[in-house]
């Protein structure tokens, strides 16, 4: 893959517009549409774009373990949040405070739901004998 093709791929990942990506990569404006489509039809360019999309997805998307770690840190009070504090003369500063009890409780609730701690399951065993009066053939 040439440097220009790599630049095209990186630009294409911004907005998925092949023509604009070709122009930003330095291809001639008059032939950018055609070159953009040609580039997208090349298997090695498709593979590179797919690989980059997967990398971006992996970096920006939290997995289940990361979510559970975050919720656990909030629940345990290990997480801090930022708030503004008035210090005089109309001036405020940003300070870190403990997460509120409400937020800790919500985190605990979400963790509990994940592990099925709050389900009310009842086993009901009933033996119903049909009554002949239930099935009236005349009706």
């Amino acid at each position: 893959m040439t440097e220009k093709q790599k630049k095209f791929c990186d630009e294409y990942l911004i907005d998925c517009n092949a023509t604009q990506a070709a122009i930003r990569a330095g291809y001639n404006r008059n032939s950018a549409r055609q070159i953009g489509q040609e580039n997208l039809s090349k298997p090695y360019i498709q593979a590179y774009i797919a690989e980059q999309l997967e990398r971006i997805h992996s970096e920006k998307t939290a997995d289940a373990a990361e979510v559970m770690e975050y919720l656990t840190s909030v629940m345990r009070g290990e997480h801090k949040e930022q708030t503004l504090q008035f210090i005089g003369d109309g001036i405020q500063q940003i300070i870190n405070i403990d997460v509120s009890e409400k937020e800790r409780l919500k985190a605990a609730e979400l963790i509990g739901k994940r592990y099925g701690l709050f389900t009310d399951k009842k086993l009901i065993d009933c033996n119903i004998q049909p009554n002949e009066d239930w099935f009236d053939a005349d009706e």
Side-chain angles (χ1 to χ4, degrees):
M1 179 180 319
T2 67
E3 277 302 312
K4 210 174 211 182
Q5 287 173 330
K6 185 176 182 310
K7 175 79 171 153
F8 166 81
C9 292
D10 294 338
E11 292 295 330
Y12 180 77
L13 290 168
I14 293 171
D15 58 7
C16 295
N17 183 320
T19 303
Q20 291 303 312
I23 292 169
R24 291 191 302 261
Y27 289 98
N28 184 318
R29 185 176 285 277
N30 296 332
S31 60
R33 181 182 175 125
Q34 179 184 351
I35 291 173
Q37 292 306 313
E38 283 177 18
N39 278 345
L40 288 179
S41 69
K42 296 177 181 174
Y44 59 92
I45 288 181
Q46 290 175 357
Y48 177 80
I49 289 172
E51 179 184 309
Q52 295 305 309
L53 284 172
E54 180 61 32
R55 183 184 60 78
I56 290 167
H57 175 75
S58 297
E59 289 175 1
K60 294 189 177 198
T61 305
D63 61 4
E66 186 178 356
V67 170
M68 293 305 293
E69 289 170 7
Y70 173 75
L71 289 173
T72 301
S73 73
V74 170
M75 184 194 77
R76 291 181 177 162
E78 299 166 353
H79 187 73
K80 303 286 185 188
E81 64 181 331
Q82 293 184 333
T83 189
L84 293 174
Q85 179 183 40
F86 182 72
I87 58 174
D89 291 334
I91 299 173
Q92 296 178 336
Q93 69 179 1
I94 298 174
I95 61 167
N96 290 326
I97 60 170
D98 291 332
V99 174
S100 71
E101 199 63 32
K102 180 180 174 182
E103 296 299 322
R104 292 175 68 179
L105 183 60
K106 182 64 178 179
E109 179 184 339
L110 291 171
I111 292 170
K113 282 182 182 180
R114 161 61 182 89
Y115 290 111
L117 300 176
F118 306 123
T119 57
D120 292 330
K121 294 181 182 177
K122 306 252 190 249
L123 177 60
I124 299 174
D125 185 18
C126 58
N127 190 3
I128 300 175
Q129 298 296 323
N131 185 336
E132 290 180 21
D133 294 336
W134 290 356
F135 307 103
D136 191 359
D138 295 333
E139 291 182 22

